Every structure is written in structure tokens, then in C-alpha cells.
Amino acid sequence: MIAPARPEYRVVVVGAGVIGLYTAYHLLKGGFGPVLVVDRGFLSSGASGRNGGGVRQQWETQATVRLARESVAAYRRFGSDFGYNVWFRQGGYLFLASSAAEVGQLRSVHAVVQKEGLASRLLAPNEVPRYAAGLALDGVHGASFLRSDGTLYPFPAIWGLYEAIRSLGGEVLLGTEVLSVARDAGRVSGVSFVNGSVKTSVVVNAAGGWSKEFSARAGLAVVNQPSRHEILATEPLKPFLDPMVVRLSDGLYFSQTMRGEIVGGLTVPHPPGIGAGMATSPHFLTSMARALSTLVPRLRSLGVLRAWSGFYDDTPDGLPVIGEDPRLTGFVHANGFGGHGFMLAPAAAQRVAKSVMGEGTDLDPAMFAPGRFLGAPSPATVERLQLG
Amino acid sequence: MVNTAQWSGGREMEPPSSGAPRFRGAPVTVRPGESLVSALSRRGLPILQRSIRYHRPRAPFCGVGACTQCLVRVNGQPNVRACTYRPLPGDRIETENAWPSPTNDLLGVLDLLFWRGIDTLHGFRRPRSAAPVYHRIIRRLAGYGRAADTVPTTPVGAPVVRSTAVLVIGGGPAGRAAAGRLSENRAETLWIDAGPLPDSPPGVTALPRTRAIFLPLPDPAAETPFQLLASIDGVRAASIRARRVIVATGGFDAGLLFPGSDRPGVMTAEGALSLAVPGDAPPFARALIVGGGERAALLLERFGTFVEAVVAPGAIDPVVVERASALGVPLYPRSLLRGVQGRRRVRSAHVAHRGAKERFELRCDAILLAHRRVPNAQLLFQAGVRMHWRGAGGAYFPVIDHDLTTSVPGLFAAGELAGFTGTEAIEASGRSAAEASLGRPASLDALPARVPADGPHELEGYYRELLSGQFASGKLVACACEDVLLEEIRHAVRDGYRGIEVVKRYTGVGTGLCQGRYCLPDALLLLSILEGRPPESIGYITQRPPVFPTALSTFASLSDCAAPGGS
Ligand SMILES: Cc1cc2nc3c(=O)[nH]c(=O)nc-3n(C[C@H](O)[C@H](O)[C@H](O)COP(=O)(O)OP(=O)(O)OC[C@H]3O[C@@H](n4cnc5c(N)ncnc54)[C@H](O)[C@@H]3O)c2cc1C
Ligand code: FES
């Protein structure tokens, strides 16, 4: 589609990533149309087409565990609901701790996860090979494992949502940037593009790494901060690794996809912001290669096939921002998902939709609402398990 | 002109022991410097692989270590490219992904069972409780080799670290001309190529068998803005910092889509040339050459009596006509390959004159693709050079100034890569790039002959005809690495997925081991026809580093010289 079909929409969603698409889907399911989703790129050009596909329920905050658990159920159903197979494989998430302090962190995560009725386990180093063979375990002090965590293919999820939205009568406008948000007496009244505009009273900011930039276009300063993260894939091998492995000390994470590639990343310093673009850095390629080939020596001679990068949308407390901005009626946030938007999307977007529809949600405003950063000296709750 | 696979292309290996190398248990005679594929080819073209989804038989194709069709397991290390691997005494070489052998593979039945293809996007969803079983089966089928049995004990060695005023990448005529001119000017020059670099000009430091794999965005503030990562013999790493870079990486022989284009016996011109040393008989007796230009002429010269016919999608050049008539080889200009007979080896090809209904059969045992060169432009894409579509070349070429500067200051493109045609123009462009890299005014008043920017490429008409035709049966494999079918691309477009970036993610076309080298140039043309818009609007193909798959240990050895701002 090259132009919106109507002059006016009930809701305009900015960003056709997994968050924006899931939000539009829930809105249309709730009969809250017409809905227009706008993206300046192609489908999956943002973080939703550049991520590691990891889905975990091990978190330090209970509310996040709940959202994740609900999302796991949604991804298990995805094939029947949307007609696309996301190949959600529950091979588990294995966190490796390299110090007593990190073991302590895994312990507190374990306690929270258990309370939610999920069967996570704390492992001594000598139990690790049962879950992932062939790791060089020197330096590993302990680990945690949850079998029902896993990995999926992000792309089919995007295609399934895209088609569901269109068959529910929603519109997805690609290759079109939203340049500004019009307001009228403290309320959102429309959005404009290069060659046109539409009226609406609700705009959802699901712009991922560009959410700060987009909030600014509505005249709102926010605390979100984009950060670049790099990732690579190797040549495919026959299956030998079931779980996603995450090392807390350096943020190394990797899993083996259904196609057999090892896909993973590592935290390397990058200047904050989107200015530096998305090119791969030699620093990442070489440090990632060193970290991976040292932890899994059998992979030393495995070829790196390709490397790429994308943006996280970080918040100071490591929790997403969900709900209407108290400064502008009709401007709804669905951003700040850091490195975890895919795994939280089904449940989180449902809350976004509910708040748009004025139904109220079960989310604690002190943890998720945009207002928590306005005037408060420091966040009430912090989610510290950010790696992997 | 370069990258003709002279590199030894190995992986970090166990130390060699003694005795002849063994392939599937039997000793093979390997002459010094010879690749495994060319050693095996003396007994006939070997079938070394089965394809990833349908276990279709595959034989060596590209000859430069890029495609998926000759992966073998050497001393317990998976996915070694047999076409560039030079066997060592004591090597144990096995095949992968086929049982009992790639020639007779039981899973080959998948190709027949799933004659319309396997739909992993929509299929395998029901019943939901079967998901774990589907996951197990599909995972088993995926991948090529098993992970290494052992950890190699030979280290990759310390990286070669260099710094230079000017770096010349490419040992073909353009790179050689550039290095020569730099030598005359006594400029500090480093010259690399994936192959050998004999007779390097005085004062120029040559690094042969060194393949450029990653040229990151330059850091304009640094003393040496460019850092090239390279691999030597496919194993040892090199990091080269430079103030100026001349890229002259030439082009490669592209793939072509036709019914049966993935059958054993179909190979690129480079692939064919790498199979046998001049003087030796090639592993075919009646080859069909596809193409009517310079490359076809070269193949005729090399394989003369082993050539059955020349078939070209477009016109045929006078040199080819002359050579062919001297040899008595028939010519079929403006012709279409409509199909191939033979499952484990090409037996014949069905050819039709463009625009004509009737087709005829040509007996042949190999099809050599010499119809199209595509620039080796990955390094330019990586370094952020602005590229543009040159219609008649059917590919993206760098945008260059009259002095060969690209959009990235300090980076120059010369030779075939920059679209120059004919030896004279190619060499002149190399000299001119050298002058420009020294800050001299351009020595050329006008740019020498280049590939015309105005399209359409002759393959556009070819594919339009192919797509409008009826395909009797069988799969049309549009991406051999990933076994993506043309039908899947058609479906994607029909369901509203547009542009190369999206169709690539939707179908998997171009995501295999060759990173789209042998499928994306044609996928652009096919999409342009299916979507009804010009190829240049289908989108750029983002080139993700590295240029060639490179071992983790090779990159790892560089981790101390790749820190930001490091030297
Ligand atoms: C390397 C990497 C690895 C990751 N690994 C995981 C993982 O394993 N598991 C996990 O759950 N998450 C992971 N993530 C995070 C996850 O990908 C993101 O949180 C998630 O995709 C965010 O989805 P989104 O829809 O909010 O944003 P995006 O997918 O980025 O979509 C935002 C869209 O907004 C569009 N846009 C922006 N501004 C405008 C404008 N003004 N007008 C129109 N359109 C606009 C953009 O074009 C973009 O398409 C990873 C991220 C990265 C980068
Ligand atoms: S043919 Fe290699 S990726 Fe398509």
C-alpha cells in the first residue's frame, strides 16, 4: 500500500515491529478499529528482524516473569492462531555464573521463578554438561536452567501478524515515516508524513530504538536510550546444542537455530545513540569469536557466516514503558523493551491495547507506566537480569 | 580476474601424519599444490554433497570456496571446501550429510516425496503436541556437518599485522597496474590477493594467498583510517591498516537459473577452470558453454575438443564465433535453457531459440556458465561506498569520479569491479587509481570504457521468457545453498511481500553459505519481473561481513588488534 485508505483512524501505531504489530492485532481483535500501522522501513527492518529469537521466563522481577510466561504460551499457540510456524523450540535457557555474586543473582532469580510455579534449577558446575556438552567450564561457579525457555524464528511471527492484521481489516503502511504528531488542546489530533497526514486521537509509539526520537517529535522528552548491539551467525552444523547459553560476566549468549547455525552476541561498548549506524565492528567480531571459541573449543574452526547489528531501546530500570503519557492525552508508549521485546511482545502488547481501549491493566504503574520517570528521584523497582 | 581460488582454503587442522590422504577410506593421489576436487576429478566429476532440504545430489560448482556443493569433513573438522582444500599426507576425508554416500543417499527420497517442496513456514503446525517431534526431525535434516569431534591442537598462529600508506586489494590486471604505478612513485605499498602474486614490482610488499574478508567503515579521524581484516591460506589472520585503499577485486562468474540448474555437471566457468590443470583432461567430454563473451572464448580455448556447443542467452561475440568454427563447435545464439535431463549427472539439455516454441535436445555432460560477470563488491558495500545500478551490467557498481574516487574519501575502485571493460581500460583504471591515491590530478581525461549504465541486462528478457513458460515438472531451485524454489519466491510476491530484503527473509533466498553470491543477482531480476518494477527499485542487497565464512579462531586471534582506536 502506498497511501492510507482513510482520512481518519481510531488508532495510529508507529512502528511495524513485533510490538506495534501485536498491539494492532489486539486492538483489532478487540474491535477497536480502524487501525493504521506505519513504518518507515520494510517489514522487519528494525530490531524485530535482527534479534536472537531468545524467549526466557527467568527474571528477577515477578511481573516480568508473568508477562514472559504468558508470552511463552502465546508462542506455543502461534501456529494455530496465525497460520505461520515460528518453530518455537523449548530447549531451555542456561545461565552461567562466573563469580559468587553472580551465583547469588541466579539464586534470587530462581526464587522468583519458582514462586511463579516454573521448574527452574540451580546447577553446580559439574551438572552443566548434562544440559550443554562440550563447554570449557573453568571459571564457571554455577548455573541456572529452565527447560520451558527457548528460541524461535522471529520472521514467521512478523509475517503471521502482518497477515492477521490485514485480514482483520487493519492497514499496514510501509516505507512511510511519521514526521510529526499534531496536537489540539493537549490531545493528540493526528500524524503527518512527507506527503500527507491522517487524523487520529491515539498514537502508539512502538518505534523501538527510535522511540526517543519519535517521542521528541511529539514534543516529549523521555529517558529511553537506544544502544547498538551486534550479533553473528555461523555456518550450520547438525544439532548438538539444545539450550540458549548466557554468560553473565560478559554478556556472551548463543543458541543453535533450527537451521543449525550458531547465533549469538556479546556486549561490547558502543557510544550510545543511533548516530553511529548499524555497521559491524571488528571489535565485536573478534571479541565474540574469542569468547565463543574459548567457551566451546570444538567450535574453533567453525566459520562465521555473517554479522549484523540492531538497536535496543533501554530504560534506566530495565523495564519497558507501557501506557499513556501523562503529558499528552492519546500518546501511548509501547517501548523501552531493551533486548527483550520479542519474548515479551504477546503479553505486553495486549496490555498496551487494553490501555488504549481504556480497559485498565494488571500492570503496576510504579513499574511500567511512563509517569514513573517524571519527577521521581529513582525508579521503584529495577530488573537487573538484562543479559541474554 | 582475481580470486581464482589459488588459496589453500583450509581450516585449522590436526597436524598431518604420514601416508597418502584417504577419501572415504581409499587413498587418493594428490599432486603438489592440487585441490581435493581436482585430485578426485581425475576419476570423474565427484558428487560430494546432498542439498540441505531435499538431499538433491550436488557436485562441485564454483571452484572458489564459496558455494555449498563440495563440503567435506577433514580429520574430524566439518564443512571444509574440497575445491580449495589441498590435502596433506595422512588426511582422513569423509563426506557429510548423506548416507550411505552422497552418490546414493537414502534421504534422496525426500526430493521425490516432497516433489512440490517442503513448506516450513506454514507446515508442521498440527497437532500442536507433535511440535517436539517435528523439531527433532527438521533439526536433524538441517545443518551440513556434525560439530568437530576434537579441538584442533595446531594454533592458527599469531596474526600478521601491517600498516601501509597505500593498500592494493586484488592481483588481477587492474591491481597489478596500480601496484606498478605506485612502485614507480616509490609509495609505501602493500599488495594482497587471494591467489599467488608472482613478480611483484620493486618496493611493493606483496602478501599472496591473503583473502580480504572485512573492510569496516573507515575512521576518518584516525591516522590510518582503514583497517582490513584478511585471512592467509584461510587460517591465519591479518590486520592491515592503511591511509588509502585501492580495491580491484574484479568479478566472478555468476549462476543462472533454469530447470535443473543445480544438477551435477552444471558449474561456473571458474569452477570448470579449477577442476583440472591445463593439459589434463577435464572430468567431462561434451560440455555446453553458456555465454557468448570473453569468458566463453576463454573456455573454448581451454577445453576446445571437450566442448559440445555454445549456447548464449544473447548475441555471440566474433572471437567466440571464430574459435568455435575453427573447432567445429555449433553455436546457438539468443537461446534459452529450458531444462536438463539427468539426475546424478547432466545427460542432455533442452534448448529453445528465444521466442520460439519448439525446443531441441543437446547431449552434454556438463554445462559451463560463462554468461555473466558480477563485480566482487562486498568490500565496497562493507566500507559504505555508494553504489548504483548499471543496467547493462545487471548489477550494482561503485559510483566513481573521473579520478576513480568513490564516495568514501581515500577509497578507490578500479578494474572490472568498477565496471571497466577490456584489458586496456582495466589497466588504465588501475594506474589512474594509483595516481589518485597519491593525490595527483587524474591522468585520464575521460574514464575509459565502462559497462553501460543503461539497461536492460540481456537476462531480463531471458527470465521474462522463462517465467512465462510452462515447467513440466521438477523443482526450479532458485537458491541452491538453501534449496529455495522459484515457486516460493512467486508465492511470497503474490502474498504481498515485496523487495529483496523482505523476500530474502521470507523465503531464505540468499541466506546460505555463499551469502547470495550465486542467487541474489538473479533474484533481483526475477523479482523485478514478478513485481513489475525496475531492478534498481527492488533494493540493495545488504552485504554482511565477512566476505567468505571465516573460522572463529581466525577472528579470535585478532582480538587484540581490533580494539576501537587500537593500532
Ligand atoms: C542484536 C539483538 C538481539 C536481540 N535478541 C533478542 C532476543 O533474543 N529475545 C528478545 O526477546 N529480544 C531480543 N532483542 C530485542 C528485540 O528484538 C526488540 O526488543 C524487539 O524487536 C522490539 O520490537 P519493536 O517492535 O519495539 O521495535 P522494532 O522491531 O525496532 O520496530 C520499530 C519500528 O519502528 C519504525 N520507526 C521508527 N521511527 C519511525 C517513524 N518516525 N515513522 C515510522 N516508522 C518508524 C522502524 O522502522 C522500525 O521498523 C534483540 C535485539 C537486538 C538488536
Ligand atoms: S545460492 Fe548460496 S545463498 Fe543462495
Side-chain angles (χ1 to χ4, degrees), chain A residues 19 59 64 205-212 215 222-226 311-323 332-342 344 348 352 367-368 372-373 383 386:
Chain A
I19 300 292
W59 293 90
T64 317
N205 178 355
W210 300 271
S211 75
K212 186 190 194 70
S215 289
V222 294
V223 293
N224 302 43
Q225 193 59 252
F311 292 110
Y312 285 13
D313 182 23
D314 295 324
T315 58
D317 55 11
L319 290 163
V321 188
I322 296 172
V332 177
H333 291 277
N335 48 54
F337 285 91
H340 310 100
F342 223 99
L344 298 176
V352 177
M367 282 179 75
F368 295 99
R372 71 186 190 270
F373 298 116
E383 174 52 65
Q386 289 298 321

Side-chain angles (χ1 to χ4, degrees), chain B residues 121-408:
Chain B
L121 273 177
H122 304 91
F124 307 96
R125 293 178 293 121
R126 297 206 173 84
R128 225 196 301 157
S129 56
V133 179
Y134 292 144
H135 289 167
R136 253 201 305 280
I137 296 173
I138 296 293
R139 279 189 102 198
R140 286 269 164 79
L141 287 178
Y144 287 99
R146 281 174 293 113
D149 306 324
T150 53
V151 180
T153 45
T154 23
V156 294
V160 170
V161 179
R162 295 272 192 282
S163 180
T164 183
V166 187
L167 167 65
V168 180
I169 306 173
R176 183 168 287 275
R181 182 54 59 92
L182 289 163
S183 151
E184 287 158 29
N185 285 281
R186 298 170 197 288
E188 185 195 14
T189 305
L190 206 93
W191 184 31
I192 71 163
D193 190 81
L197 283 173
D199 318 318
S200 79
V204 168
T205 311
L207 277 183
R209 306 191 322 277
T210 303
R211 180 170 250 176
I213 51 179
F214 183 27
L215 183 63
L217 292 180
D219 173 6
E223 156 94 23
T224 47
F226 297 94
Q227 178 185 20
L228 176 80
L229 305 193
S231 70
I232 303 174
D233 289 333
V235 177
R236 192 165 176 203
S239 161
I240 303 163
R241 291 190 183 259
R243 281 205 288 277
R244 305 253 190 279
V245 179
I246 298 171
V247 186
T249 43
F252 65 93
D253 295 307
L256 180 69
L257 178 62
F258 51 88
S261 51
D262 64 326
R263 289 305 187 198
V266 180
M267 64 192 88
T268 66
E270 280 169 315
L273 293 168
S274 77
L275 285 177
V277 291
D280 268 10
F284 48 76
R286 348 170 43 143
L288 221 61
I289 294 177
V290 180
E294 230 176 274
R295 298 293 283 173
L298 180 71
L299 290 181
L300 265 178
E301 183 178 308
R302 173 72 180 274
F303 297 121
T305 51
F306 301 98
V307 178
E308 182 74 10
V310 175
V311 176
I316 295 183
D317 287 357
V319 288
V320 177
V321 175
E322 200 177 300
R323 246 173 235 175
S325 55
L327 288 160
V329 169
L331 301 170
Y332 302 91
R334 292 192 47 77
S335 295
L336 199 64
L337 280 166
R338 276 236 161 268
V340 159
Q341 297 291 304
R343 182 175 155 74
R344 278 187 241 164
R345 181 67 187 263
V346 170
R347 274 189 281 110
S348 71
H350 286 144
V351 179
H353 287 297
R354 297 271 299 274
K357 276 241 170 325
E358 351 30 272
R359 53 179 205 183
F360 48 94
E361 194 169 351
L362 292 175
R363 280 197 47 203
C364 60
D365 59 357
I367 298 180
L368 317 183
L369 306 176
H371 60 292
R372 181 187 192 196
R373 296 279 285 180
V374 170
N376 272 317
Q378 295 97 321
L379 295 172
L380 300 181
F381 277 102
Q382 291 172 2
V385 169
R386 200 145 60 83
M387 309 288 285
H388 66 169
W389 180 260
R390 294 185 81 81
Y396 282 97
F397 289 83
V399 176
I400 48 173
D401 256 343
H402 68 287
D403 63 353
L404 291 300
T405 6
T406 65
S407 64
V408 173

Side-chain angles (χ1 to χ4, degrees), chain B residues 66-68 478-482 508-520:
Chain B
C67 79
T68 336
C479 167
C481 291
E482 288 295 312
V509 66
T511 61
L513 286 200
C514 83
Q515 288 275 32
R517 190 179 160 103
Y518 293 109
C519 61
L520 289 182

